[in-house]
Amino acid sequence: MLRSLVGSEMCIRDSPHPHPHPHPHPHPQRDLNYTAHDQAALRAAREGIVLLSHQRSVLPLSAQTLAVSGPNADNAANMQGIDCHGVAPFLTTPRAALSNYSAVTYTIGCLIGNNDTAGFAAAEYAARSAEATVLVLGLDPSVEYEMLDRTDLLLPGVQEGLVHAVRDAMGPEKPLVIALMGGGVVDTSRIDSLVDAVLWVGYPGQAGGQALAEVLFGDVIPSGRSPLTWYKNEYASDSSPTAVSMLSMNMRPDLPNHQFRYDTKNSHTPNPGRTYRFVADPARFVKYPFGHGLSYGAHFRYESVTVSVPSLSAAAVVMTVSKPARDRYTAPVVLNVTVTITNVGNLGAGHAVLLYAAPPSPLERGNPIRSLVAFERIPLLAAGETAKVRLSLTAWGLALADSEGVWGTEPGSWTFSANPGDSLEGQTVAAKLIVA
């Protein structure tokens, strides 16, 4: 997911137009919508799709007849998300793209923002008649927008009811796949037992429908890794006695005798921490961690992590990170970390390698549990192939900010780790580096 965004920006900047500046005249449209740009949008959508769960091995689909339902299945206006986007030359919805792979029967089923179940009957009939069903559910700007607060992390409206109705109608054996569209996380725990696979597409842009269809029918193997921490509903629901207070802006958790505490006057419980860097009890509060992402046909075994030097000077790190922030992008490389992985599956696929650094004393003195310090996408790793991915770090990979916002580092044993992203704990490999 991360690499797809970076790569897409690079593709867009690499315009075939001869002008050195992207907008040299009052008609910037002339510099847009080249074939290269359309290809970049499709690539971003393909690489950004995250397979969150795959309960039964139903993917890729081979259905000749397909029921497609849900409020986001044919919602072109929602493909680009919330503001801050241009006018797309086209918007391919999931319904339109899936029609190129199977005979599609489409029904909307329900809307996102109300409790009307009148569309359930048509969705039930379509699911009963088809070989497989795809429900495109999720969020839209009516529930996630400035000045709008969600009071829980569940699917809004009657979308969970639609899942129940469709599964009851189609029976237990036919494949039922959910695709979630939206910018925020959704806890699907209450319906997980009813569905065979769950994918997240975000707001996928002009080619999102095509990318989803390709992933569902096997033209593209899913390789996205989540850029979000997917919390369980109890983490944030207004009705949960364990919910974190939305009045607290602290990232760090409240721990016994912890120096980073906040006024709990208006909170239900102490803050458990926010994001993968600070959630102190992920098994309790996290459904899918940052970097989570499954595949099918391909399975990546992480063999080892190695560092190019056994130690680094703490004084040298501090000297680098104490310079103006703008200098971080030109700081010299001080360390190379090599991650060795093997595709032990039977299909080739792309894969994003994420490298994390953990300081010597996580959650002490405000330190994070771990931080993403580098990433690299392997475009394709064939079945049985092994790759060595080298990630170069500057001193900023070992930087920590104190309670006053001053950058420094922590002497001691640092841990660099990586995992394939296929479980909460992950099959993690790690290496140590001494900062002294």
Side-chain angles (χ1 to χ4, degrees), residues 64-78:
Q64 299 299 305
T65 58
L66 190 67
V68 177
S69 299
N72 283 325
D74 201 36
N75 187 356
N78 205 34

Side-chain angles (χ1 to χ4, degrees), residues 258-276:
H258 200 281
Q259 69 184 52
F260 289 93
R261 296 186 65 85
Y262 72 97
D263 180 3
T264 59
K265 178 181 178 181
N266 295 308
S267 69
H268 296 140
T269 59
N271 184 1
R274 299 176 189 271
T275 80
Y276 76 98

Side-chain angles (χ1 to χ4, degrees), residues 3-57:
R3 176 59 61 186
S4 72
L5 298 178
V6 174
S8 300
E9 182 180 359
M10 293 173 64
C11 289
I12 291 170
R13 288 181 175 180
D14 187 21
S15 171
H17 200 281
H19 290 291
H21 189 277
H23 305 309
H25 42 60
H27 300 288
Q29 295 90 335
R30 297 175 186 173
D31 291 317
L32 304 177
N33 301 334
Y34 282 85
T35 300
H37 302 152
D38 292 341
Q39 292 172 343
L42 178 58
R43 174 187 163 199
R46 286 169 172 165
E47 296 180 356
I49 292 175
V50 181
L51 179 59
L52 295 172
S53 70
H54 198 193
Q55 308 274 51
R56 287 197 301 161
S57 299

Side-chain angles (χ1 to χ4, degrees), residues 317-334 393-397 399 407:
V317 172
V318 172
M319 182 178 297
T320 296
V321 302
S322 62
K323 294 179 180 179
R326 66 176 180 273
D327 292 343
R328 70 162 55 195
Y329 303 107
T330 56
V333 171
V334 298
L393 302 180
T394 70
W396 284 97
W407 288 101

Side-chain angles (χ1 to χ4, degrees), residues 93-104:
T93 66
R95 173 196 181 183
L98 288 167
S99 297
N100 295 322
Y101 286 83
S102 184
V104 165

Side-chain angles (χ1 to χ4, degrees), residues 166-180:
V166 165
R167 175 53 85 187
D168 287 345
M170 65 191 298
E173 299 302 323
K174 293 180 181 179
L176 174 57
V177 177
I178 289 179
L180 298 173

Side-chain angles (χ1 to χ4, degrees), residues 4 6 64 70 95 101 138 178 200 245 257 282 288 339 355 403 411 420:
S4 72
V6 174
Q64 299 299 305
R95 173 196 181 183
Y101 286 83
I178 289 179
W200 180 69
S245 171
N257 302 317
Y288 303 118
V339 181
L355 180 69
S403 59

